[in-house]
Amino acid sequence: MSDIGSRLAELRQRIRHHEERYYIHNDPQISDAEFDELLHELERLEADHPDLVALDSPTQRVGGRTVEGFATVEHIVPMLSLDNAYNEEELRAFDERVRRVIAKGAVDATAAAAEPEPIAYIAELKIDGLSIALTYEDGRLLRGATRGDGARGEDVTANVRTIRAIPLSLRRSGPAVPPGRVEIRGEVYLPRAAFEKLNREMEQAGDPLFANARNTAAGTMRNLDPSLVSKRGMGAFVYQLVDGRSPGSAPLALAPADAASGEGLRYDTHAATLEALAAWGLPVESHWRRCANIEEVVAFCAEWGDRRQALEFDTDGVVIKVDDLALREKLGATAKFPRWATAFKFPAQQATTTLTAIDVNVGRTGAVTPYAVLEPVKVAGSTISMATLHNAEDVARKDVRPGDRVLIEKGGDVIPKVVKAILPHPDGVPRGEPWQMPTHCPECRSLLHRDDEEVVWRCENTSCPARLRRSLEHFASRTAMNVEGLGASLVDQLIDQGLVHDYADLYHLTPEQLETLVVAPKEPKSERAVARKLGKVGRNVVAQLERSKSNDLSRLIYALGIRHVGEKAAATLARHFRSMDRLMTEPVEALQSVSEIGPVVAASVRAFAEEPRNQQLVRKLKAAGVNMDSQAPEPSDQPGPLSGKTYVLTGTLTSMSREEATAALERLGGKVSGSVSKKTTCVVFGADAGSKLEKAEKLGVERMDEAQFLAFLSAYN
Ligand SMILES: [Zn+2]
């Protein structure tokens, strides 16, 4: 290597070393000025020798170009979320489930019969940030992607590269760096100091402040300008290694760089994995601890509930994982969560403030719900100015009144709620009058109604502007017609300008109409709440609408917002009836004959179909070119061995989820029902089964425990 080449290599290595000291270990060995001097020398040398600039050089973190948008990334192994535990009992229940499953799988029958062995766990602080998947190829950072919906995320590589805690290339001393592609998962976050600094700058510029660090971190990662991301001072921690060969679970099997045999390099424990990640120069949060049993986990959670305020980042809990990776594989995952991990949530954060008013909000179905307007107060880093009050009865029961001093609570992502009024008022302020539910809709002045059995008051006017607004938002939402860009503020504009009166009108919007609308960017993603012309975004919305015309019928049924018809029922209806025409004309008996469609849903679909205004709407959508058919695979008409039989599942099964058990029975032609009757063929019960099992006993219905159920299923395989 030339002298220049070796000087470049040395500089890059030294800079990376100091980046690690500063951004990962928070323990710098040189001053900022000295660090800048090293970086400047490298920049000068690279400027003179552009042919020697490597992509993983520390000077190449910020590409300098604004990106157009983010490409979609499919996660080969889904990024599952974690089940939660809110107290000690739930932690112990998690441990018992784990031990039960493992004991059941034991080869030695006597070992299974004995008290299950204690399980060792790794407890890690849960970082309140944005999940990220980093792909390294032959040790070099190739890609960074967000979690997205777990199956698909966004490619945010340009932004990830600017985060100095994340190495552009892995350190090659210590344990072998895996060749080929490897995915490392973790969390990017905004350190508290960086968040406070950012808000000080916003304040000085007279701009609105950011509400909390987590949302700001998420918004930052989705910013199209990497140089802005670079300035924010984001941090990162990693906690998982994935190789893509073990869907659902997360063990790893990697070939070591020097293994001639090609046998996978395998860490046996999560602790060894974390140590390897740290040795490769990746940021691993240092407070993790190996706990020999669940009691040590409980102690760790209690300890950090108190200590976390002293940390430099926000944490909302502790993640607990089975340490032994072979046991993890045995435990597997449900459709939603791995069975070998849980997230302990620290207790909710509370604050007191003044309730200035109680207002109401009109929803998509006309439901009118009260909420509390609060004097803004800080709770756990966010400013709270509103809290939910659920319904009129909730307000009456809590007897909170405007002017009261109230206790509010915020737990995780949940909308804050009003716990109670503090009585008497600490400053001796006399109480106001009890709050009354308004008699008329605040938006359209229609008289509000309430069914005898319901707690919710409703505006029954189907053309109420407030209902239309919420309906359109629902229609466009990701799980419905999925029209990106058609959010709340744009919907407001469309209604105010009289451009849209129903769903079908959306399909007659022109790019010219949308381009000129002026819309404020929606919170909390917005950088600054500045109104701007829609321009290109407007054109894109029209393109998105055009694309949505070819959605499957299931999305359309869900998007129509028929009461009681959720995503799952919509998919079932689409699969069975195949076309909108058929769905609109089926008698209620036919609707109800479909497995999983109950009388309430059937009646609601029928009522929707009989309303002339809805028939008109469907005709309009059809005329606009919206697809009215289902392409989903038709349910098999082949009778299975369990045809005509009805099963009820109750309690917790340890070897499979409720959905898996349902699918297994349905594949064999059986029907799964939610309630036990004389017609029930058999009740399958797991741990903690309650009243359904009792009822089955009383009615003399056949019963199977989990072991019998598994044997029963295997007889058909
Ligand atoms: Zn109304």
Side-chain angles (χ1 to χ4, degrees), residues 138-139 172 174-180 254-265 267 280:
D138 295 328
R172 284 168 193 279
V177 168
L254 299 165
D258 52 355
S261 67
E263 273 287 291
L265 160 73
Y267 297 100
W280 295 336

Side-chain angles (χ1 to χ4, degrees), residues 362 441 443-446 459 461 464-467:
V362 185
C441 173
E443 196 90 18
C444 70
R445 313 309 310 166
S446 306
C459 167
N461 173 11
C464 169
R467 292 185 58 175

Side-chain angles (χ1 to χ4, degrees), residues 301-615:
C301 292
E303 178 188 333
W304 282 99
D306 297 333
R307 281 180 69 188
R308 66 183 160 133
Q309 296 305 339
L311 292 166
E312 279 157 354
F313 51 87
D314 288 337
T315 165
D316 57 347
V318 174
V319 176
I320 297 116
K321 299 171 183 165
V322 170
D323 188 27
D324 186 325
L325 299 190
L327 291 185
R328 281 194 192 179
E329 247 175 309
K330 196 175 278 180
L331 287 158
T334 68
K336 270 193 186 153
F337 310 120
R339 289 200 188 84
W340 43 264
T342 193
F344 174 80
K345 294 284 190 135
F346 290 130
Q349 315 256 350
Q350 297 186 325
T352 61
T353 185
T354 300
L355 185 149
T356 52
I358 296 177
D359 240 323
V360 295
N361 178 47
V362 185
R364 167 165 71 86
T365 59
V368 179
T369 48
Y371 63 91
V373 182
L374 306 168
E375 212 161 78
V377 60
K378 277 219 160 189
V379 189
S382 347
T383 304
I384 306 290
S385 56
M386 270 194 295
T388 176
L389 281 164
H390 304 294
N391 54 52
E393 279 183 11
D394 188 43
V395 182
R397 189 171 49 245
K398 287 174 180 160
D399 187 26
V400 286
R401 307 181 189 179
D404 279 351
R405 199 74 194 160
V406 289
L407 181 67
I408 61 161
E409 184 178 285
K410 180 171 171 277
D413 244 353
V414 192
I415 309 164
K417 63 179 182 192
V418 176
V419 180
K420 62 173 187 179
I422 297 163
L423 298 173
H425 194 290
D427 302 332
V429 177
R431 294 197 86 191
E433 290 297 306
W435 180 75
Q436 296 288 335
M437 185 73 188
T439 50
H440 292 76
C441 173
E443 196 90 18
C444 70
R445 313 309 310 166
S446 306
L447 189 66
L448 299 181
H449 288 276
R450 181 167 76 163
D451 287 350
D452 286 345
E453 283 134 51
E454 274 204 282
V455 291
V456 179
W457 289 86
R458 287 178 199 282
C459 167
E460 303 280 3
N461 173 11
T462 47
S463 43
C464 169
R467 292 185 58 175
L468 179 60
R469 193 173 303 137
R470 301 273 173 270
S471 300
L472 289 171
E473 282 171 39
H474 168 78
F475 187 83
S477 65
R478 189 150 76 160
T479 45
M481 292 302 265
N482 192 21
V483 184
E484 209 181 309
L486 188 53
S489 58
L490 179 51
V491 165
D492 280 353
Q493 291 276 313
L494 295 173
I495 294 173
D496 292 351
Q497 308 264 333
L499 291 170
V500 173
H501 303 96
D502 61 32
Y503 304 136
D505 286 344
L506 290 172
Y507 291 101
H508 298 290
L509 292 170
T510 63
E512 293 71 34
Q513 285 173 325
L514 284 175
E515 265 174 45
T516 53
L517 291 178
V518 176
V519 175
K522 67 179 167 190
E523 292 291 333
K525 280 180 190 161
S526 67
E527 288 299 322
R528 287 150 195 220
V530 178
R532 60 186 162 76
K533 282 204 172 165
L534 266 180
K536 199 177 151 193
V537 179
R539 287 200 294 280
N540 190 41
V541 168
V542 174
Q544 290 274 337
L545 279 163
E546 189 60 35
R547 192 196 45 72
S548 78
K549 286 182 186 173
S550 54
N551 280 342
D552 189 80
L553 176 65
S554 60
R555 280 183 177 270
L556 178 62
I557 296 174
Y558 176 57
L560 287 173
I562 305 168
R563 253 178 100 188
H564 305 299
V565 178
E567 245 182 294
K568 203 176 158 215
T572 306
L573 290 168
R575 212 166 56 227
H576 277 82
F577 296 107
R578 319 297 302 162
S579 76
M580 186 58 92
D581 288 345
R582 241 189 102 190
L583 184 69
M584 294 293 281
T585 49
E586 287 293 338
V588 77
E589 296 76 27
L591 293 166
Q592 216 179 310
S593 72
V594 177
S595 157
E596 292 169 58
I597 299 296
V600 175
V601 172
S604 179
V605 172
R606 197 64 223 133
F608 176 88
E610 276 168 14
E611 166 65 45
R613 257 183 298 200
N614 293 333
Q615 294 165 3

